[in-house]
Amino acid sequence: MRHKDFFFWGTFACAVTVIAFITLPLVQMLAAPSLEVLVETILDKDVLNSIVLSLSAAALAALISFILGTPLAYLLARREFRGKRLVEGIIDLPIIIPHPVVGIAILSVTGRNHWFGQLLTDLGIRIMGSVTGIVTVMVFVAIPFYIKAAKEGFDAISPRLENVSRSLGASMFSTFFRITFPLAWRSMLAGIIMACARAISEFGAIVIVAYHPMIAPVMIYERFESYGLKYSQPVAVWLISICLILFLLLRILTSRQKKSA
Amino acid sequence: MIKIENLHIQLGGFDLHDINLHVAENDFFMLMGPSGAGKTILLEAIAGLVPVKSGRIKVAGQDITRLPPEKRGISIVYQDYALFPHLTVANNIRYGLRFQKIEKNERDQRLHQLLASLNLQHLANRSPETLSGGEQQRVAMARALIVKPRVLLLDEPLSALDPSLREEFRLLLKQLQQQTMATILMVTHDFAEALALGHRGAIINSGKIEQSGRMEELFQRPQSTMVANFVGMKNLFAVTISGEDAWVENLQIQLGHSRGDGQGFIAIRPEDIVLSTGQLQSSMRNCFQGRIKQVISQGFYYEVHVNVDTISFCALVTKGALLEMELGEGEDVYLFFKSTAIHTF
């Protein structure tokens, strides 16, 4: 009994420590700026623009991840092939590479010295210091999260459902849209949200590729560097509040549909 | 109807080779074999769901080996039913209709007919997850039949059902087969089930067909020890045959006819062996005295294992007979069987 108690209180203490460790700094930061300062901050055009840019670029990156990542996720869930492990390893790479390295890597293929960068310049596409560059970096860091979530969703669907559908006369396309997608869309949406969240939080790679136009994390960093903690806090509060509300809304929206379905 | 020629399938750990089968139109064909023999893979190959390495599959004279599954007109019902969880029962059943050119009247008629004949009307708007195993099974059958397939493939349809439902579903299957006149190919690992339902069948083991033919033939004249074991020939012995006698070690068994000398096997069904506590006045040629080693309850009957010298026979006895003769382990007993009950191969 004593041992059990010791075990229980031990785990309990660890749990409390972890939760406090995560919530305390966040709550402190959220509570720090006064309402007046918050209002003043959001009325600042630069702040508003940076937040809008962060959100829209991240949404676009998530959309691109969805379009490009879905077929790959499906392939990984359904087929066994030589080199599958390697492909999965490559998809994991953006998660493990240090963020500034990602930025440098992207610049090294898109720079003028590289044939690919030359090609992009000829096409009139600029990566360095542009929204295109920001979205590119975001897709790079976010797409693994989408692919993993979508693959998990596809894995959970028995291939037999697709087999039955096809034997009943449905083509592969019809089968995907009538059976696979309706059963996997929740996982896919979860993946989109994760990819979006990851894209919004990216700083290290973006600051190298595009300091301007300024996304919210870069602005927070700049204000902290030039003016100090007090001036960066309100921007941070606005960024995470808006993100939390958006994700919360999405959650509510999807769980409602689950009930009606 | 279905003709499979030299089929070779290699997939994952499975390697099916030299598969040759012929299934006649309107046949109820049983594909039997132990678990892991590759039965389901063969079904999926016929439906076009797994790639084929070589060989050909023909349906009604048409080579379908390279045809995509949706163009084959072959329905498959899986062991786990594989109902679409996001569709209602009626929409599950209706699923295949949209891909065919069928008038609306005809569609509705087919749906209602199937709902009625499978007793599913009251479940039409339910979600498949809320159904019992037997109900799910009937939905899966209706979904497969609504497109009027040329061939219906059934993957162990009875194994996931309660024993009480099995009998019911067996009757339903027979009835459906007569109604739809579809050619049915059914996979099972249970020989008794196959015997009750099928006309003809094949036994598949470790990637190849061991034997195929009429069910009674498989049952009575197995051509290999594997088939004999599978169909429940418990008394299976390697023998030396000379003249009209077969020798199991030092035990002489009379075959009643000569069959060519040499090595071979004999098999005797356990229900063909009669036990008695004394000598019988009987025409049965083979009579041995032995000692009961073990009595195993099989529900309605008992399996009695009798040692004659070093050789172990197995006989089936009803509970009544067991009690009447007071058979118990360690008791001495006589066993008899007719020479016509001996199957040699």
Side-chain angles (χ1 to χ4, degrees), chain A:
Chain A
M1 198 58 203
R2 274 196 153 214
H3 279 279
K4 211 172 179 181
D5 276 352
F6 178 73
F7 182 78
F8 174 76
W9 290 114
T11 49
F12 185 74
C14 286
V16 169
T17 311
V18 171
I19 299 299
F21 174 65
I22 294 173
T23 50
L24 211 61
L26 287 175
V27 169
Q28 182 56 44
M29 185 194 68
L30 283 172
S34 68
L35 204 64
E36 217 169 279
V37 174
L38 279 178
V39 172
E40 196 181 308
T41 308
I42 201 68
L43 291 176
D44 180 341
K45 261 254 155 70
D46 288 344
V47 173
L48 192 64
N49 284 343
S50 76
I51 290 176
V52 168
L53 178 62
S54 264
L55 291 177
S56 49
L60 189 59
L63 183 72
I64 293 170
S65 302
F66 165 72
I67 294 167
L68 291 179
T70 303
L72 179 54
Y74 185 75
L75 189 76
L76 289 174
R78 282 290 179 270
R79 297 262 180 269
E80 292 302 322
F81 52 87
R82 207 184 285 262
K84 185 173 168 180
R85 284 284 174 101
L86 182 69
V87 172
E88 285 175 327
I90 289 171
I91 291 165
D92 279 344
L93 277 179
I95 299 174
I96 26 179
I97 296 177
H99 300 175
V101 178
V102 170
I104 289 165
I106 286 179
L107 281 185
S108 47
V109 283
T110 54
R112 275 167 204 279
N113 302 327
H114 195 272
W115 64 266
F116 186 71
Q118 197 61 54
L119 183 76
L120 287 180
T121 315
D122 293 345
L123 290 169
I125 298 168
R126 200 161 56 96
I127 297 294
M128 185 89 185
S130 73
V131 176
T132 318
I134 291 171
V135 174
T136 307
V137 173
M138 283 180 167
V139 171
F140 191 94
V141 297
I143 203 166
F145 290 89
Y146 174 74
I147 291 176
K148 277 166 172 282
K151 176 179 180 283
E152 238 168 72
F154 292 137
D155 271 333
I157 300 168
S158 166
R160 289 184 167 186
L161 296 181
E162 297 171 349
N163 284 351
V164 167
S165 163
R166 295 203 66 193
S167 76
L168 289 170
S171 65
M172 199 55 236
F173 265 99
S174 299
T175 299
F176 186 83
F177 287 111
R178 290 187 186 281
I179 304 297
T180 317
F181 184 77
L183 292 172
W185 73 268
R186 218 170 286 278
S187 307
M188 291 158 90
L189 188 72
I192 289 175
I193 292 176
M194 293 239 287
C196 206
R198 178 65 190 84
I200 288 172
S201 70
E202 183 51 41
F203 167 74
I206 291 175
V207 85
I208 284 174
V209 173
Y211 197 93
H212 288 283
M214 217 176 256
I215 55 160
V218 175
M219 167 159 290
I220 293 166
Y221 172 72
E222 196 201 46
R223 295 219 162 174
F224 173 70
E225 280 284 278
S226 342
Y227 310 108
L229 193 60
K230 252 195 131 167
Y231 289 88
S232 61
Q233 269 173 343
V235 187
V237 169
W238 274 111
L239 179 67
I240 67 166
S241 307
I242 291 171
C243 289
L244 282 179
I245 289 166
L246 280 179
F247 292 144
L248 212 65
L249 273 178
L250 261 177
R251 279 268 152 190
I252 293 167
L253 230 71
T254 54
S255 63
R256 258 193 205 155
Q257 287 201 340
K258 192 179 185 179
K259 268 174 211 156
S260 67

Side-chain angles (χ1 to χ4, degrees), chain B residues 9 49 127 185 272 287 301 304-305:
Chain B
I9 308 161
L49 300 164
S127 158
L185 196 74
D272 287 336
C287 168
Y301 53 86
V304 181
H305 293 262

Side-chain angles (χ1 to χ4, degrees), chain B residues 169-196:
Chain B
F169 191 73
R170 242 182 235 176
L171 287 173
L172 182 73
L173 263 184
K174 280 221 149 175
Q175 201 185 322
L176 282 174
Q177 209 257 338
Q178 279 153 14
Q179 271 174 22
T180 58
M181 298 298 282
T183 305
I184 299 181
L185 196 74
M186 173 171 149
V187 155
T188 175
H189 64 258
D190 182 350
F191 186 74
E193 185 179 298
L195 198 63

Side-chain angles (χ1 to χ4, degrees), chain B residues 94-325:
Chain B
R94 221 184 261 137
Y95 184 82
L97 288 178
R98 72 172 76 245
F99 307 108
Q100 323 241 331
K101 283 178 195 132
I102 303 168
E103 276 180 42
K104 188 166 186 319
N105 284 346
E106 166 80 12
R107 292 178 184 203
D108 292 344
Q109 199 195 333
R110 281 196 199 175
L111 177 68
H112 288 121
Q113 207 172 347
L114 278 167
L115 284 173
S117 67
L118 287 159
N119 193 21
L120 290 166
Q121 291 112 320
H122 59 296
L123 302 172
N125 294 316
R126 291 261 291 271
S127 158
E129 280 145 12
T130 65
L131 304 184
S132 72
E135 289 163 347
Q136 288 189 31
Q137 173 127 53
R138 299 208 301 275
V139 175
M141 288 295 292
R143 182 180 61 181
L145 289 170
I146 203 161
V147 293
K148 302 214 164 157
R150 294 192 285 184
V151 177
L152 179 61
L153 305 174
L154 303 174
D155 181 19
E156 306 223 12
L158 300 168
S159 63
L161 290 181
D162 291 336
S164 60
L165 286 172
R166 267 185 223 175
E167 194 52 42
E168 198 182 305
F169 191 73
R170 242 182 235 176
L171 287 173
L172 182 73
L173 263 184
K174 280 221 149 175
Q175 201 185 322
L176 282 174
Q177 209 257 338
Q178 279 153 14
Q179 271 174 22
T180 58
M181 298 298 282
T183 305
I184 299 181
L185 196 74
M186 173 171 149
V187 155
T188 175
H189 64 258
D190 182 350
F191 186 74
E193 185 179 298
L195 198 63
L197 281 168
H199 308 148
R200 286 160 44 84
I203 291 169
I204 183 168
N205 186 38
S206 54
K208 67 182 213 303
I209 304 258
E210 289 272 346
Q211 191 177 344
S212 65
R214 283 183 31 246
M215 291 304 297
E216 300 81 54
E217 210 169 296
L218 294 174
F219 189 54
Q220 279 155 7
R221 282 185 286 283
Q223 280 162 11
S224 66
T225 53
M226 186 271 146
V227 174
N229 264 322
F230 184 78
V231 302
M233 289 257 189
K234 291 245 173 180
N235 301 293
L236 186 67
F237 307 105
V239 292
T240 311
I241 295 171
S242 78
E244 295 197 357
D245 297 326
W247 292 86
V248 186
E249 293 173 35
N250 292 321
L251 198 71
Q252 183 188 9
I253 290 171
Q254 297 179 34
L255 299 173
H257 63 281
S258 62
R259 198 189 160 274
D261 295 357
Q263 302 293 318
F265 292 92
I266 64 164
I268 307 149
R269 305 199 63 84
E271 54 269 36
D272 287 336
I273 295 180
V274 178
L275 294 183
S276 158
T277 45
Q279 278 282 11
L280 278 184
Q281 290 303 315
S282 156
S283 63
M284 288 186 268
R285 294 231 209 159
N286 292 290
C287 168
F288 303 101
Q289 196 185 7
R291 179 162 289 174
I292 297 175
K293 192 178 68 179
Q294 210 179 5
V295 179
I296 302 166
S297 168
Q298 297 283 12
F300 298 112
Y301 53 86
Y302 284 79
E303 222 178 76
V304 181
H305 293 262
V306 181
N307 273 1
V308 177
D309 288 334
T310 54
I311 295 139
S312 178
F313 286 89
C314 171
L316 287 187
V317 175
T318 61
K319 195 172 181 181
L322 190 84
L323 290 173
E324 195 185 323
M325 290 192 281

